[in-house]
Amino acid sequence: MIGETNKALVAATGMVLLGGCSLQPVQPWERGDLARDDMQWEAGLVEEATIRDHTYTSKEAASLSPTLGGGGCGCN
Amino acid sequence: MFRAVSHFAVLTSFLFALVATPAIALEIGEVFPAVNAERMDADGSLGMDSLRGKVVYVDAWASWCTPCRVAMPVLEDWHQRWAEQGFVVLGLNVDTDMKAAQVARKRAGVTYPIIHGVPDDTLMTLGMQTMPTAWLLDREGKVRMIHSGFRKADIEELERAITQVLEEQ
């Protein structure tokens, strides 16, 4: 059973930690760094799509991208 | 005990909030800080002191900021148009990637002086909220106008403000 004092201590620690988050707000001149590809949550998403596309066109011997009609069979 | 700890937490959070809020932000009528930084368009450095007596349009910009790049040809036009009347555009580049900054500068084809490497604490005192931010300074170095962002619709208002300051002796 957590005592009242311990609860208060946990709450206080939480508030102090949350307050600490506000110490370094992102400045306008720092936004360029945050916008970099390697700073994204899913940085590899575009690269992965490019690799998948490359693999598809290579394996299928398809012309251009998979979004276009036609293939390597020469039938259209 | 609970009350004491709660008071401590509230007080600490308040102090954090105070520290996080920029205490100093440059305001209209104040003298622009005596910034002295390296030039990215030429060798050497450039200080605000050397521009005293001129009407200066300080433009904080970065290569990754599209409105900043849109503004550059307009600023170049102003720099050329009013040069004889003692008007200077001073670019203040905030890029960390200097290669990208140089590419953007060359692509825009601007000739006005641009400084870079201004320390963060100096930038903090300018109170920038967005990119680009510009400060119009009179011949005494006092801020006469602060402009956030850049849209082509702003040009007329900005030109009016510049000519008004230029006409003052």
Side-chain angles (χ1 to χ4, degrees):
Chain A
M1 192 71 183
I2 304 171
E4 197 173 88
T5 309
N6 286 341
K7 274 185 192 171
L9 274 173
V10 169
T13 309
M15 285 178 83
V16 169
L17 289 175
L18 278 174
C21 295
S22 67
L23 280 176
Q24 290 295 331
V26 176
Q27 299 300 328
W29 58 89
E30 294 171 332
R31 289 179 194 150
D33 289 333
L34 292 177
R36 283 188 348 232
D37 285 345
D38 54 330
M39 293 290 277
Q40 305 311 306
W41 288 109
E42 295 183 76
L45 212 59
V46 176
E47 288 84 350
E48 193 182 311
T50 309
I51 291 165
R52 278 172 188 268
D53 186 37
H54 175 73
T55 308
Y56 175 81
T57 49
S58 302
K59 285 183 79 173
E60 298 294 323
S63 62
L64 302 175
S65 78
T67 54
L68 293 174
C73 63
C75 53
N76 56 7
Chain B
M1 182 67 180
F2 180 81
R3 189 172 290 178
V5 174
S6 300
H7 285 172
F8 168 75
V10 170
L11 184 67
T12 314
S13 302
F14 179 68
L15 286 174
F16 271 139
L18 273 183
V19 173
T21 309
I24 311 161
L26 190 62
E27 288 177 6
I28 289 171
E30 291 181 340
V31 175
F32 196 85
V35 176
N36 190 321
E38 210 175 308
R39 286 181 72 157
M40 64 174 281
D41 60 309
D43 292 332
S45 60
L46 182 73
M48 292 306 297
D49 293 346
S50 66
L51 299 173
R52 204 50 62 86
K54 291 180 181 294
V55 174
V56 187
Y57 188 90
V58 184
D59 175 60
W61 71 281
S63 62
W64 44 263
C65 157
T66 306
C68 303
R69 295 200 307 269
V70 170
M72 289 172 91
V74 178
L75 305 189
E76 176 65 16
D77 175 40
W78 294 347
H79 183 71
Q80 303 280 351
R81 199 192 309 172
W82 294 309
E84 285 183 8
Q85 294 172 58
F87 177 77
V88 174
V89 172
L90 174 67
L92 195 161
N93 180 263
V94 297
D95 270 287
T96 49
D97 181 355
M98 283 317 296
K99 204 173 166 185
Q102 288 289 12
V103 169
R105 183 185 68 81
K106 285 174 185 161
R107 197 168 286 170
V110 295
T111 61
Y112 54 79
I114 301 175
I115 55 173
H116 74 100
V118 176
D120 278 8
D121 53 352
T122 307
L123 292 175
M124 290 287 277
T125 64
L126 300 179
M128 287 166 63
Q129 296 295 314
T130 187
M131 292 286 297
T133 297
W135 299 265
L136 177 63
L137 315 183
D138 64 16
R139 295 182 198 272
E140 294 173 355
K142 286 182 184 164
V143 178
R144 298 295 296 274
M145 190 187 73
I146 301 170
H147 190 76
S148 294
F150 186 87
R151 289 173 302 166
K152 292 204 168 169
D154 300 338
I155 294 175
E156 199 177 321
E157 181 201 340
L158 290 167
E159 288 185 344
R160 205 173 319 129
I162 293 167
T163 49
Q164 193 181 328
V165 177
L166 275 172
E167 282 163 11
E168 296 170 5
Q169 290 300 320

